[in-house]
Amino acid sequence: LYRLLIMNTTNRPLSPHLQIYRPQLTSVLSISHRMTGFALSLIILFSPIIIYFLTYSSETHQIMISIFQNTFIKIIFSFALFGLLYHLCNGIRHLAWDAGYGLDLDSSYKSGYAVLASSITFTLLILIFTGAL
């Protein structure tokens, strides 16, 4: 215990923190992948509740439909769709890394931009073909 207290009071330099480093594409995509995974797990918790109210009665179904027609809710669902597609595309990228492909810096940047482009493209295509846009 004494040794731990002494080590905490010495004037040693600290390791660089996130404030020191300039954000890089690879680090931003990695952090975003974790954040979208967490957000998607929260969304999954609410999905059974939404399905329950959609199927409980015609009154609750109508209430849920009117909620989903709200512009703000549509925007939230559009971002959730993008998060799902981004997490899927970036997960495929991680699987390729696990197999040993695309680990060099140039390939990781190219695949990162490909993940962003494909996520945005798929999101827009789904929103257009479903009539949400």
Side-chain angles (χ1 to χ4, degrees):
L1 183 63
Y2 176 74
R3 187 173 173 172
L4 289 174
L5 292 174
I6 295 295
M7 289 180 73
N8 287 337
T9 59
T10 60
N11 289 328
R12 293 180 170 186
L14 296 174
S15 296
H17 293 3
L18 290 175
Q19 298 89 348
I20 303 291
Y21 291 113
R22 187 185 72 182
Q24 300 168 338
L25 178 68
T26 52
S27 62
V28 170
L29 292 180
S30 176
I31 292 168
S32 300
H33 186 76
R34 294 165 197 246
M35 290 171 49
T36 55
F38 178 74
L40 290 170
S41 66
L42 292 179
I43 291 170
I44 287 173
L45 292 175
F46 290 107
S47 296
I49 297 169
I50 293 170
I51 292 170
Y52 173 77
F53 283 118
L54 281 171
T55 60
Y56 180 71
S57 69
S58 60
E59 291 83 20
T60 59
H61 179 82
Q62 234 8 62
I63 291 170
M64 292 304 292
I65 295 301
S66 66
I67 290 172
F68 291 149
Q69 289 176 342
N70 184 327
T71 305
F72 182 69
I73 300 298
K74 285 183 180 181
I75 292 171
I76 290 174
F77 272 91
S78 298
F79 280 115
L81 176 63
F82 171 77
L84 174 69
L85 293 170
Y86 167 77
H87 196 78
L88 173 70
C89 293
N90 204 37
I92 293 169
R93 177 180 177 223
H94 278 272
L95 287 174
W97 284 352
D98 291 341
Y101 299 108
L103 293 174
D104 60 292
L105 190 60
D106 187 48
S107 295
S108 67
Y109 269 84
K110 286 179 182 176
S111 64
Y113 286 121
V115 162
L116 288 175
S118 61
S119 302
I120 291 169
T121 303
F122 292 148
T123 301
L124 290 175
L125 286 173
I126 290 172
L127 291 176
I128 289 168
F129 285 124
T130 59
L133 277 184

